[in-house]
Amino acid sequence: MPLQVFFVLSGFLITTMLASEHQRTGRISIGKFYSNRAVRLLPPLLVTVGLLAIYAALVYVPDASQRVWGDSAAALFYSDYRQAFQQDPFYSGYLTQCWSLAVEEQYYLVWAALLLVALHFGRRQLAYGLALVGLLGCTANRLYIVLTAQSWNLHVADRTYYAFDTRADALFLGCLLGLIATGGHLEDWSPRTKQFVSALALVATVIMLWILFNVGVGSRSLPLFWESIAEVAAASIIVYLVVQPKGIGTRLIGVSILVLVGNMSYMIYLTHFPIFVAISPSTVPWSMWVVQVVRFAILIPLVVISWYLMEQPLMRWRRRRLEPARGAEQSPPN
């Protein structure tokens, strides 16, 4: 259930960032938020789609209208419902994985606006309420779809697995946790409480791993209760990382190589699937170990080049562009 961790963490980080900006400046700049997201997310996506288009122009791809061009359009316009409603007839599309990016982008549109309204009127309690309503509403919607279906089949499984309205509860849980953190409720905990949180995080990690290796994506139990359990486990791990900044697990995650891989993870996410689909035992007459070597021989240089020549420079440019605004915010009035 890595996606549950990703969704909860994303909701937590975005909410923490926006709420902290409001605490620091008294407002939230939606334009700056969306422009920052665009600078971070769009260039790697456009490069990936462009490389895929070049590949499809040079190599024959069966059913390219759906597997290449349909997938590319869905990725660019953030359409997870294409898969949720089985409008994608192929499960071997080149950008199939981008449904989760679509869920993320729809969350940006919804939550940033809701949080802006709530905090603008000085109603932090309203922000808590909105996050809680989103969490409970999405969970109830998913359960309703599963429990009222005449039978459990692939259509119901796809509907609950890929759609924003059935997966956003994890994001809203992260939002709720971000509000709690920026409200100062994760500070000054007693040593005994921190020990309990550490033990809870260890148990949560074991639970997450068990779900990952024992619960299938097509299992009816996944949307019924395992997704919610995984979300709570992910939240427990995030709380541990916040309240135990010098804990063993926190230091382990902070190892430089892991941080570097984490920084490059977005390009890995975008490019690994098309590479793995293009180079597979069904497309090339090679043994599996040769296939794996070639896959990583393409993936690793591509990701490294993207990080150092495109993503890092764009991030530095974005920070420089923001510095004058921050300076102005912090300067006393004349």
mmCIF file of all heavy atoms in Angstrom, residues 189-226:
data_model
loop_
_atom_site.group_PDB
_atom_site.id
_atom_site.type_symbol
_atom_site.label_atom_id
_atom_site.label_comp_id
_atom_site.label_asym_id
_atom_site.label_seq_id
_atom_site.Cartn_x
_atom_site.Cartn_y
_atom_site.Cartn_z
ATOM 1 N N TRP A 189 5.648 16.617 23.631
ATOM 2 C CA TRP A 189 5.096 15.364 24.151
ATOM 3 C C TRP A 189 6.062 14.755 25.164
ATOM 4 O O TRP A 189 7.277 14.926 25.064
ATOM 5 C CB TRP A 189 4.846 14.387 23.017
ATOM 6 C CG TRP A 189 3.616 14.737 22.202
ATOM 7 C CD1 TRP A 189 2.936 15.912 22.191
ATOM 8 C CD2 TRP A 189 2.941 13.876 21.278
ATOM 9 N NE1 TRP A 189 1.873 15.852 21.327
ATOM 10 C CE2 TRP A 189 1.849 14.619 20.748
ATOM 11 C CE3 TRP A 189 3.137 12.574 20.843
ATOM 12 C CZ2 TRP A 189 0.973 14.089 19.802
ATOM 13 C CZ3 TRP A 189 2.266 12.035 19.904
ATOM 14 C CH2 TRP A 189 1.194 12.786 19.399
ATOM 15 N N SER A 190 5.535 14.054 26.126
ATOM 16 C CA SER A 190 6.366 13.443 27.172
ATOM 17 C C SER A 190 7.192 12.297 26.581
ATOM 18 O O SER A 190 6.816 11.710 25.556
ATOM 19 C CB SER A 190 5.483 12.918 28.293
ATOM 20 O OG SER A 190 4.705 11.815 27.846
ATOM 21 N N PRO A 191 8.329 11.962 27.222
ATOM 22 C CA PRO A 191 9.150 10.855 26.741
ATOM 23 C C PRO A 191 8.373 9.543 26.652
ATOM 24 O O PRO A 191 8.568 8.761 25.704
ATOM 25 C CB PRO A 191 10.269 10.773 27.783
ATOM 26 C CG PRO A 191 10.366 12.162 28.328
ATOM 27 C CD PRO A 191 8.966 12.681 28.339
ATOM 28 N N ARG A 192 7.499 9.293 27.601
ATOM 29 C CA ARG A 192 6.732 8.042 27.565
ATOM 30 C C ARG A 192 5.788 8.016 26.363
ATOM 31 O O ARG A 192 5.646 6.988 25.699
ATOM 32 C CB ARG A 192 5.940 7.886 28.866
ATOM 33 C CG ARG A 192 5.079 6.628 28.898
ATOM 34 C CD ARG A 192 4.510 6.381 30.275
ATOM 35 N NE ARG A 192 5.564 6.107 31.251
ATOM 36 C CZ ARG A 192 5.341 5.809 32.518
ATOM 37 N NH1 ARG A 192 4.088 5.764 32.988
ATOM 38 N NH2 ARG A 192 6.330 5.576 33.347
ATOM 39 N N THR A 193 5.165 9.146 26.076
ATOM 40 C CA THR A 193 4.268 9.217 24.919
ATOM 41 C C THR A 193 5.047 9.020 23.629
ATOM 42 O O THR A 193 4.589 8.347 22.698
ATOM 43 C CB THR A 193 3.530 10.565 24.883
ATOM 44 O OG1 THR A 193 2.850 10.762 26.117
ATOM 45 C CG2 THR A 193 2.529 10.605 23.744
ATOM 46 N N LYS A 194 6.241 9.591 23.560
ATOM 47 C CA LYS A 194 7.074 9.424 22.367
ATOM 48 C C LYS A 194 7.493 7.970 22.186
ATOM 49 O O LYS A 194 7.555 7.466 21.052
ATOM 50 C CB LYS A 194 8.312 10.328 22.461
ATOM 51 C CG LYS A 194 8.009 11.810 22.335
ATOM 52 C CD LYS A 194 9.280 12.631 22.398
ATOM 53 C CE LYS A 194 8.972 14.120 22.221
ATOM 54 N NZ LYS A 194 10.203 14.950 22.254
ATOM 55 N N GLN A 195 7.760 7.283 23.297
ATOM 56 C CA GLN A 195 8.087 5.860 23.209
ATOM 57 C C GLN A 195 6.902 5.058 22.675
ATOM 58 O O GLN A 195 7.057 4.145 21.857
ATOM 59 C CB GLN A 195 8.514 5.339 24.582
ATOM 60 C CG GLN A 195 9.859 5.863 25.059
ATOM 61 C CD GLN A 195 10.168 5.426 26.483
ATOM 62 O OE1 GLN A 195 9.357 4.768 27.149
ATOM 63 N NE2 GLN A 195 11.351 5.789 26.959
ATOM 64 N N PHE A 196 5.712 5.430 23.129
ATOM 65 C CA PHE A 196 4.504 4.761 22.636
ATOM 66 C C PHE A 196 4.333 4.998 21.135
ATOM 67 O O PHE A 196 4.000 4.083 20.381
ATOM 68 C CB PHE A 196 3.280 5.267 23.397
ATOM 69 C CG PHE A 196 1.982 4.762 22.844
ATOM 70 C CD1 PHE A 196 1.555 3.466 23.097
ATOM 71 C CD2 PHE A 196 1.185 5.587 22.041
ATOM 72 C CE1 PHE A 196 0.359 3.000 22.577
ATOM 73 C CE2 PHE A 196 -0.012 5.126 21.525
ATOM 74 C CZ PHE A 196 -0.423 3.825 21.784
ATOM 75 N N VAL A 197 4.574 6.239 20.703
ATOM 76 C CA VAL A 197 4.458 6.570 19.279
ATOM 77 C C VAL A 197 5.480 5.780 18.462
ATOM 78 O O VAL A 197 5.178 5.301 17.352
ATOM 79 C CB VAL A 197 4.636 8.086 19.071
ATOM 80 C CG1 VAL A 197 4.770 8.417 17.585
ATOM 81 C CG2 VAL A 197 3.466 8.843 19.666
ATOM 82 N N SER A 198 6.680 5.611 18.998
ATOM 83 C CA SER A 198 7.714 4.839 18.300
ATOM 84 C C SER A 198 7.284 3.393 18.128
ATOM 85 O O SER A 198 7.439 2.804 17.044
ATOM 86 C CB SER A 198 9.031 4.911 19.067
ATOM 87 O OG SER A 198 9.490 6.245 19.182
ATOM 88 N N ALA A 199 6.738 2.803 19.184
ATOM 89 C CA ALA A 199 6.264 1.426 19.108
ATOM 90 C C ALA A 199 5.095 1.312 18.125
ATOM 91 O O ALA A 199 5.007 0.348 17.343
ATOM 92 C CB ALA A 199 5.844 0.947 20.493
ATOM 93 N N LEU A 200 4.220 2.304 18.158
ATOM 94 C CA LEU A 200 3.067 2.303 17.258
ATOM 95 C C LEU A 200 3.521 2.401 15.802
ATOM 96 O O LEU A 200 2.959 1.727 14.922
ATOM 97 C CB LEU A 200 2.155 3.484 17.600
ATOM 98 C CG LEU A 200 0.821 3.567 16.843
ATOM 99 C CD1 LEU A 200 -0.037 2.339 17.141
ATOM 100 C CD2 LEU A 200 0.079 4.845 17.221
ATOM 101 N N ALA A 201 4.533 3.203 15.542
ATOM 102 C CA ALA A 201 5.052 3.333 14.179
ATOM 103 C C ALA A 201 5.658 2.026 13.692
ATOM 104 O O ALA A 201 5.521 1.658 12.516
ATOM 105 C CB ALA A 201 6.092 4.451 14.121
ATOM 106 N N LEU A 202 6.327 1.306 14.593
ATOM 107 C CA LEU A 202 6.903 0.009 14.227
ATOM 108 C C LEU A 202 5.799 -0.981 13.870
ATOM 109 O O LEU A 202 5.876 -1.693 12.857
ATOM 110 C CB LEU A 202 7.755 -0.522 15.377
ATOM 111 C CG LEU A 202 8.428 -1.886 15.140
ATOM 112 C CD1 LEU A 202 9.365 -1.817 13.936
ATOM 113 C CD2 LEU A 202 9.197 -2.329 16.390
ATOM 114 N N VAL A 203 4.751 -1.020 14.693
ATOM 115 C CA VAL A 203 3.611 -1.894 14.405
ATOM 116 C C VAL A 203 2.950 -1.490 13.090
ATOM 117 O O VAL A 203 2.583 -2.338 12.267
ATOM 118 C CB VAL A 203 2.589 -1.841 15.560
ATOM 119 C CG1 VAL A 203 1.317 -2.601 15.191
ATOM 120 C CG2 VAL A 203 3.192 -2.404 16.840
ATOM 121 N N ALA A 204 2.812 -0.176 12.866
ATOM 122 C CA ALA A 204 2.200 0.325 11.633
ATOM 123 C C ALA A 204 3.005 -0.097 10.411
ATOM 124 O O ALA A 204 2.438 -0.468 9.371
ATOM 125 C CB ALA A 204 2.085 1.844 11.691
ATOM 126 N N THR A 205 4.321 -0.071 10.519
ATOM 127 C CA THR A 205 5.180 -0.491 9.408
ATOM 128 C C THR A 205 4.976 -1.967 9.091
ATOM 129 O O THR A 205 4.875 -2.357 7.919
ATOM 130 C CB THR A 205 6.649 -0.220 9.741
ATOM 131 O OG1 THR A 205 6.829 1.172 10.031
ATOM 132 C CG2 THR A 205 7.548 -0.617 8.587
ATOM 133 N N VAL A 206 4.896 -2.784 10.137
ATOM 134 C CA VAL A 206 4.659 -4.223 9.936
ATOM 135 C C VAL A 206 3.303 -4.445 9.260
ATOM 136 O O VAL A 206 3.182 -5.258 8.332
ATOM 137 C CB VAL A 206 4.730 -4.974 11.281
ATOM 138 C CG1 VAL A 206 4.311 -6.428 11.111
ATOM 139 C CG2 VAL A 206 6.144 -4.891 11.864
ATOM 140 N N ILE A 207 2.287 -3.723 9.707
ATOM 141 C CA ILE A 207 0.953 -3.852 9.122
ATOM 142 C C ILE A 207 0.978 -3.451 7.646
ATOM 143 O O ILE A 207 0.399 -4.141 6.783
ATOM 144 C CB ILE A 207 -0.061 -2.987 9.887
ATOM 145 C CG1 ILE A 207 -0.294 -3.567 11.289
ATOM 146 C CG2 ILE A 207 -1.384 -2.893 9.124
ATOM 147 C CD1 ILE A 207 -1.143 -2.691 12.176
ATOM 148 N N MET A 208 1.647 -2.352 7.343
ATOM 149 C CA MET A 208 1.739 -1.902 5.954
ATOM 150 C C MET A 208 2.403 -2.950 5.075
ATOM 151 O O MET A 208 1.940 -3.234 3.960
ATOM 152 C CB MET A 208 2.521 -0.591 5.886
ATOM 153 C CG MET A 208 1.851 0.582 6.552
ATOM 154 S SD MET A 208 0.486 1.274 5.609
ATOM 155 C CE MET A 208 1.354 2.030 4.272
ATOM 156 N N LEU A 209 3.481 -3.537 5.554
ATOM 157 C CA LEU A 209 4.181 -4.561 4.781
ATOM 158 C C LEU A 209 3.311 -5.799 4.601
ATOM 159 O O LEU A 209 3.294 -6.420 3.526
ATOM 160 C CB LEU A 209 5.504 -4.923 5.467
ATOM 161 C CG LEU A 209 6.575 -3.830 5.455
ATOM 162 C CD1 LEU A 209 7.765 -4.232 6.318
ATOM 163 C CD2 LEU A 209 7.032 -3.533 4.025
ATOM 164 N N TRP A 210 2.575 -6.167 5.652
ATOM 165 C CA TRP A 210 1.693 -7.344 5.543
ATOM 166 C C TRP A 210 0.621 -7.101 4.486
ATOM 167 O O TRP A 210 0.341 -7.969 3.667
ATOM 168 C CB TRP A 210 1.048 -7.633 6.888
ATOM 169 C CG TRP A 210 0.274 -8.924 6.873
ATOM 170 C CD1 TRP A 210 0.742 -10.163 7.193
ATOM 171 C CD2 TRP A 210 -1.097 -9.084 6.477
ATOM 172 N NE1 TRP A 210 -0.258 -11.105 7.025
ATOM 173 C CE2 TRP A 210 -1.390 -10.480 6.580
ATOM 174 C CE3 TRP A 210 -2.093 -8.221 6.048
ATOM 175 C CZ2 TRP A 210 -2.644 -10.993 6.274
ATOM 176 C CZ3 TRP A 210 -3.337 -8.730 5.723
ATOM 177 C CH2 TRP A 210 -3.618 -10.096 5.849
ATOM 178 N N ILE A 211 0.021 -5.924 4.498
ATOM 179 C CA ILE A 211 -1.005 -5.599 3.511
ATOM 180 C C ILE A 211 -0.413 -5.633 2.105
ATOM 181 O O ILE A 211 -1.018 -6.169 1.166
ATOM 182 C CB ILE A 211 -1.619 -4.215 3.799
ATOM 183 C CG1 ILE A 211 -2.364 -4.230 5.139
ATOM 184 C CG2 ILE A 211 -2.560 -3.793 2.679
ATOM 185 C CD1 ILE A 211 -2.852 -2.863 5.575
ATOM 186 N N LEU A 212 0.785 -5.079 1.958
ATOM 187 C CA LEU A 212 1.433 -5.005 0.652
ATOM 188 C C LEU A 212 1.620 -6.384 0.035
ATOM 189 O O LEU A 212 1.404 -6.579 -1.169
ATOM 190 C CB LEU A 212 2.788 -4.291 0.790
ATOM 191 C CG LEU A 212 3.628 -4.160 -0.479
ATOM 192 C CD1 LEU A 212 2.908 -3.295 -1.499
ATOM 193 C CD2 LEU A 212 4.994 -3.577 -0.153
ATOM 194 N N PHE A 213 2.007 -7.354 0.859
ATOM 195 C CA PHE A 213 2.340 -8.676 0.329
ATOM 196 C C PHE A 213 1.204 -9.688 0.418
ATOM 197 O O PHE A 213 1.308 -10.785 -0.136
ATOM 198 C CB PHE A 213 3.567 -9.238 1.067
ATOM 199 C CG PHE A 213 4.842 -8.509 0.750
ATOM 200 C CD1 PHE A 213 5.430 -7.666 1.676
ATOM 201 C CD2 PHE A 213 5.443 -8.647 -0.490
ATOM 202 C CE1 PHE A 213 6.593 -6.984 1.390
ATOM 203 C CE2 PHE A 213 6.619 -7.970 -0.791
ATOM 204 C CZ PHE A 213 7.198 -7.140 0.146
ATOM 205 N N ASN A 214 0.118 -9.338 1.066
ATOM 206 C CA ASN A 214 -0.940 -10.327 1.271
ATOM 207 C C ASN A 214 -2.319 -9.923 0.760
ATOM 208 O O ASN A 214 -3.196 -10.776 0.670
ATOM 209 C CB ASN A 214 -1.056 -10.660 2.770
ATOM 210 C CG ASN A 214 0.147 -11.420 3.284
ATOM 211 O OD1 ASN A 214 0.240 -12.635 3.133
ATOM 212 N ND2 ASN A 214 1.073 -10.698 3.899
ATOM 213 N N VAL A 215 -2.522 -8.659 0.433
ATOM 214 C CA VAL A 215 -3.839 -8.204 -0.023
ATOM 215 C C VAL A 215 -3.735 -7.792 -1.487
ATOM 216 O O VAL A 215 -2.993 -6.870 -1.827
ATOM 217 C CB VAL A 215 -4.358 -7.023 0.814
ATOM 218 C CG1 VAL A 215 -5.731 -6.595 0.318
ATOM 219 C CG2 VAL A 215 -4.411 -7.395 2.289
ATOM 220 N N GLY A 216 -4.457 -8.467 -2.345
ATOM 221 C CA GLY A 216 -4.411 -8.178 -3.767
ATOM 222 C C GLY A 216 -5.186 -6.925 -4.121
ATOM 223 O O GLY A 216 -6.139 -6.545 -3.433
ATOM 224 N N VAL A 217 -4.783 -6.303 -5.229
ATOM 225 C CA VAL A 217 -5.450 -5.081 -5.674
ATOM 226 C C VAL A 217 -6.920 -5.344 -6.000
ATOM 227 O O VAL A 217 -7.773 -4.478 -5.809
ATOM 228 C CB VAL A 217 -4.710 -4.498 -6.905
ATOM 229 C CG1 VAL A 217 -5.490 -3.351 -7.524
ATOM 230 C CG2 VAL A 217 -3.313 -4.042 -6.518
ATOM 231 N N GLY A 218 -7.220 -6.532 -6.480
ATOM 232 C CA GLY A 218 -8.592 -6.854 -6.846
ATOM 233 C C GLY A 218 -9.421 -7.438 -5.725
ATOM 234 O O GLY A 218 -10.578 -7.830 -5.937
ATOM 235 N N SER A 219 -8.881 -7.479 -4.526
ATOM 236 C CA SER A 219 -9.600 -8.060 -3.400
ATOM 237 C C SER A 219 -10.711 -7.135 -2.904
ATOM 238 O O SER A 219 -10.517 -5.922 -2.784
ATOM 239 C CB SER A 219 -8.627 -8.357 -2.255
ATOM 240 O OG SER A 219 -9.312 -8.718 -1.087
ATOM 241 N N ARG A 220 -11.866 -7.693 -2.613
ATOM 242 C CA ARG A 220 -12.984 -6.888 -2.100
ATOM 243 C C ARG A 220 -12.670 -6.309 -0.727
ATOM 244 O O ARG A 220 -13.178 -5.254 -0.353
ATOM 245 C CB ARG A 220 -14.238 -7.766 -2.018
ATOM 246 C CG ARG A 220 -15.525 -7.018 -1.642
ATOM 247 C CD ARG A 220 -16.724 -7.929 -1.819
ATOM 248 N NE ARG A 220 -17.988 -7.228 -1.556
ATOM 249 C CZ ARG A 220 -18.626 -7.253 -0.394
ATOM 250 N NH1 ARG A 220 -18.116 -7.949 0.623
ATOM 251 N NH2 ARG A 220 -19.765 -6.596 -0.239
ATOM 252 N N SER A 221 -11.825 -7.000 0.028
ATOM 253 C CA SER A 221 -11.480 -6.517 1.369
ATOM 254 C C SER A 221 -10.621 -5.259 1.331
ATOM 255 O O SER A 221 -10.564 -4.510 2.306
ATOM 256 C CB SER A 221 -10.738 -7.614 2.143
ATOM 257 O OG SER A 221 -9.496 -7.933 1.522
ATOM 258 N N LEU A 222 -9.973 -5.002 0.193
ATOM 259 C CA LEU A 222 -9.095 -3.830 0.099
ATOM 260 C C LEU A 222 -9.874 -2.528 0.277
ATOM 261 O O LEU A 222 -9.564 -1.737 1.181
ATOM 262 C CB LEU A 222 -8.341 -3.842 -1.228
ATOM 263 C CG LEU A 222 -7.366 -2.678 -1.459
ATOM 264 C CD1 LEU A 222 -6.233 -2.717 -0.441
ATOM 265 C CD2 LEU A 222 -6.797 -2.731 -2.881
ATOM 266 N N PRO A 223 -10.896 -2.243 -0.537
ATOM 267 C CA PRO A 223 -11.651 -0.998 -0.319
ATOM 268 C C PRO A 223 -12.552 -1.033 0.913
ATOM 269 O O PRO A 223 -12.927 0.018 1.435
ATOM 270 C CB PRO A 223 -12.485 -0.858 -1.600
ATOM 271 C CG PRO A 223 -12.651 -2.247 -2.097
ATOM 272 C CD PRO A 223 -11.368 -2.948 -1.749
ATOM 273 N N LEU A 224 -12.904 -2.248 1.377
ATOM 274 C CA LEU A 224 -13.786 -2.339 2.531
ATOM 275 C C LEU A 224 -13.101 -1.882 3.818
ATOM 276 O O LEU A 224 -13.667 -1.099 4.580
ATOM 277 C CB LEU A 224 -14.318 -3.759 2.696
ATOM 278 C CG LEU A 224 -15.556 -4.118 1.876
ATOM 279 C CD1 LEU A 224 -15.937 -5.573 2.099
ATOM 280 C CD2 LEU A 224 -16.738 -3.210 2.225
ATOM 281 N N PHE A 225 -11.889 -2.371 4.051
ATOM 282 C CA PHE A 225 -11.237 -1.970 5.310
ATOM 283 C C PHE A 225 -9.722 -1.853 5.242
ATOM 284 O O PHE A 225 -9.135 -1.081 5.991
ATOM 285 C CB PHE A 225 -11.623 -2.924 6.458
ATOM 286 C CG PHE A 225 -11.463 -4.378 6.161
ATOM 287 C CD1 PHE A 225 -10.246 -5.018 6.321
ATOM 288 C CD2 PHE A 225 -12.551 -5.129 5.744
ATOM 289 C CE1 PHE A 225 -10.111 -6.379 6.077
ATOM 290 C CE2 PHE A 225 -12.440 -6.490 5.498
ATOM 291 C CZ PHE A 225 -11.204 -7.116 5.660
ATOM 292 N N TRP A 226 -9.037 -2.565 4.327
ATOM 293 C CA TRP A 226 -7.581 -2.519 4.343
ATOM 294 C C TRP A 226 -7.044 -1.147 3.953
ATOM 295 O O TRP A 226 -6.002 -0.715 4.461
ATOM 296 C CB TRP A 226 -6.985 -3.608 3.461
ATOM 297 C CG TRP A 226 -7.097 -4.979 4.030
ATOM 298 C CD1 TRP A 226 -7.723 -6.058 3.474
ATOM 299 C CD2 TRP A 226 -6.555 -5.439 5.274
ATOM 300 N NE1 TRP A 226 -7.619 -7.153 4.294
ATOM 301 C CE2 TRP A 226 -6.900 -6.804 5.412
ATOM 302 C CE3 TRP A 226 -5.819 -4.826 6.294
ATOM 303 C CZ2 TRP A 226 -6.531 -7.554 6.523
ATOM 304 C CZ3 TRP A 226 -5.450 -5.578 7.405
ATOM 305 C CH2 TRP A 226 -5.808 -6.927 7.507
#
